[in-house]
């Protein structure tokens, strides 16, 4: 497992799994299952059938007793390679990218990108309700590690 930071607000973590990109894709592209992996997600609703480019999402997230909804749209959907969604409320883009490894497995890279910056409203709420940006970013990093470890465990069981 590796954690890196591309820019101050961009986060990245990765893990290698023994399954092929096709097997890995079948799991990570099913965004309805995010609550099984992400410690922050309570529920994901995706109306209209299977996840695809343009799919809309409603997520219910939590931090302890604090619960909040977000909406998102799938902005990248490249089978066996990458799936990404943009969260409307904070303008972040969350993604999973799959890279084949030499041994026939897959490197899964999870990213949070902020190409348009994080919304003022989101930064204010994080400051007021979540202990500030550094604290929340630390929790996001830890959550990304947990997410990838849970995906790996599911794929390799």
């Amino acid at each position: 497992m590796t954690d890196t930071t591309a820019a101050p607000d961009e986060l990245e973590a990765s893990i290698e799994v023994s399954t092929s990109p096709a097997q890995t894709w079948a799991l990570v592209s099913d965004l309805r299952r995010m609550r099984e992996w992400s410690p922050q997600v309570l529920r994901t609703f995706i109306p209209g059938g299977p996840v695809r480019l343009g799919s809309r999402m409603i997520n219910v997230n939590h931090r302890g007793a604090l619960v909040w909804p977000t909406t998102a749209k799938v902005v990248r959907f490249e089978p066996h390679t990458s799936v990404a969604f943009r969260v409307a409320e904070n303008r972040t883009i969350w993604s999973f990218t799959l890279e084949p490894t030499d041994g026939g497995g897959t490197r899964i890279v999870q990213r949070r990108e902020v190409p348009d910056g994080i919304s003022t409203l989101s930064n204010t709420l994080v400051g007021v309700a979540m202990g500030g940006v550094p604290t929340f970013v630390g929790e996001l990093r830890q959550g990304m590690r947990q997410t990838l470890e849970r995906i790996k465990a599911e794929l390799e069981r």
Side-chain angles (χ1 to χ4, degrees):
M1 169 83 62
T2 29
D3 289 326
T4 58
T5 301
D9 293 325
E10 295 185 358
L11 307 175
E12 180 179 297
S14 66
I15 198 167
E16 288 193 13
V17 297
S18 62
T19 55
S20 70
Q23 293 167 304
T24 306
W25 174 257
L27 189 72
V28 301
S29 66
D30 188 358
L31 298 174
R32 287 179 177 89
R33 296 184 66 185
M34 281 300 294
R35 71 183 178 141
E36 296 174 38
W37 314 312
S38 173
Q40 190 178 77
V41 177
L42 284 175
R43 188 78 192 256
T44 299
F45 302 95
I46 304 175
V51 176
R52 62 187 182 284
L53 185 64
S55 289
R56 301 285 179 172
M57 304 166 54
I58 301 168
N59 295 295
V60 180
N61 302 306
H62 77 105
R63 181 183 188 241
L66 180 64
V67 177
W68 68 96
T70 60
T71 58
K73 180 180 178 181
V74 176
V75 295
R76 190 168 55 245
F77 192 84
E78 301 167 10
H80 306 243
T81 304
S82 182
V83 61
F85 56 92
R86 179 183 285 267
V87 179
E89 290 76 11
N90 63 17
R91 300 191 303 246
T92 61
I93 297 175
W94 287 87
S95 65
F96 291 104
T97 302
L98 309 181
E99 302 168 353
T101 62
D102 291 337
T106 306
R107 179 176 182 248
I108 306 169
V109 180
Q110 185 181 23
R111 289 185 183 93
R112 182 193 79 167
E113 301 169 68
V114 292
D116 302 317
I118 297 174
S119 71
T120 301
L121 175 61
S122 180
N123 278 330
T124 300
L125 291 173
V126 165
V128 170
M130 298 185 183
V133 172
T135 298
F136 189 60
V137 166
E139 290 174 12
L140 290 176
R141 283 193 178 109
Q142 179 180 351
M144 291 169 77
R145 285 191 299 273
Q146 289 176 339
T147 296
L148 291 173
E149 289 167 358
R150 290 172 180 173
I151 288 171
K152 179 181 175 79
E154 176 72 17
L155 287 166
E156 296 182 348
R157 66 181 179 132

